[in-house]
Amino acid sequence: MLVAIVALLSTVVAQAVIPDPTVAQSGLSIVSRRDPAITLKVADGFTPLAPILLSLPSTNVDRRVFIKTNSFNRIEQMVVLQFERVRSGSSFQFLYLPKPPFAFGSDVYRVGAYVYDDVAAAKASPGFEAAVTRDTLERDGYRMPRFFRTARLARVADPNGLSEIIIFYFEDADSDFRSGSIVGADSDGDLPLTGSAAEALLRRFQSVVTVV
């Protein structure tokens, strides 16, 4: 019951956060005017959803979500463009290097390619990104997979470590994991993709999200 109350309160707080004023959206295009200054375009065929906004202990998060569904409203592909900024008064900083490196547009990102359990991630951290996003989409009538093939790009977006951008590309992976578990998962519960599987996923990502 306590977890449910925390999740509910966190969702209410998330909805009350003001969208990042430096980020503008027009359909499938996102323009961030600073930290980072970037324009991103999601491929035709995806549906843009309302921003998902969270106030976390040290940061404010603005998530722009785009989905592609089948005829049963089940999500087959999803893009999340996440802009995160340190809250005023917090001493938190984003401190990490873009390793392993991945060139995207004119910048270099830390990259990851893996399969992960979205249900487990949501349960582990109620009120945080995975849980609020999953709750929001299911409440709006979308059917969410449990497992996603995921490409994740992230970079620190200003010299003082006060902002970051994360780009997620998700694909429904439930048909590959009908047993309900990921055999060989790492300590985070993810199954890292390597070699040709990772390269193919990143190519599909680049066909969906482009820097303009």
Side-chain angles (χ1 to χ4, degrees), residues 35-36 94 155-164:
D35 305 329
F94 296 104
R155 67 179 175 92
V156 180
D158 80 290
N160 297 314
L162 298 179
S163 63
E164 72 168 348

Side-chain angles (χ1 to χ4, degrees), residues 16-210:
V17 176
I18 299 172
D20 189 330
T22 69
V23 178
Q25 181 172 349
S26 177
L28 296 170
S29 295
I30 294 286
V31 178
S32 174
R33 291 187 289 274
R34 66 170 181 85
D35 305 329
I38 191 171
T39 300
L40 297 162
K41 175 73 164 60
V42 178
D44 291 341
F46 282 77
T47 300
L49 304 181
I52 294 177
L53 311 171
L54 301 91
S55 180
L56 301 182
S58 299
T59 62
N60 288 331
V61 175
D62 185 327
R63 303 193 110 198
R64 305 302 172 110
V65 181
F66 306 82
I67 59 172
K68 183 178 283 188
T69 64
N70 64 16
S71 58
F72 300 100
N73 235 24
R74 180 181 176 86
I75 292 174
E76 296 183 329
Q77 294 171 280
M78 180 168 66
V79 172
V80 176
L81 308 178
Q82 177 167 320
F83 302 89
E84 188 163 0
R85 300 188 185 279
V86 176
R87 295 172 62 182
S88 178
S90 172
S91 61
F92 178 83
Q93 290 179 289
F94 296 104
L95 299 172
Y96 59 87
L97 297 174
K99 295 181 178 180
F102 185 81
F104 183 59
S106 60
D107 296 291
V108 179
Y109 293 72
R110 171 184 285 185
V111 68
Y114 50 92
V115 174
Y116 101 111
D117 185 337
D118 192 61
V119 169
K123 288 182 177 178
S125 300
F128 283 74
E129 292 99 313
V132 173
T133 301
R134 189 175 188 90
D135 289 346
T136 299
L137 269 61
E138 289 184 336
R139 186 177 63 245
D140 290 343
Y142 296 106
R143 298 176 61 193
M144 289 280 284
R146 173 176 175 179
F147 296 105
F148 283 107
R149 279 183 296 275
T150 305
R152 180 185 186 275
L153 279 63
R155 67 179 175 92
V156 180
D158 80 290
N160 297 314
L162 298 179
S163 63
E164 72 168 348
I165 179 173
I166 310 176
I167 303 170
F168 295 93
Y169 169 66
F170 299 101
E171 296 177 346
D172 179 1
D174 277 0
S175 62
D176 296 330
F177 297 93
R178 292 191 178 92
S179 64
S181 63
I182 301 179
V183 178
D186 63 15
S187 58
D188 293 324
D190 302 327
L191 178 65
L193 299 177
T194 58
S196 60
E199 292 169 2
L201 180 64
L202 289 168
R203 284 196 299 270
R204 294 194 296 274
F205 154 72
Q206 289 178 290
S207 73
V208 170
V209 183
T210 53

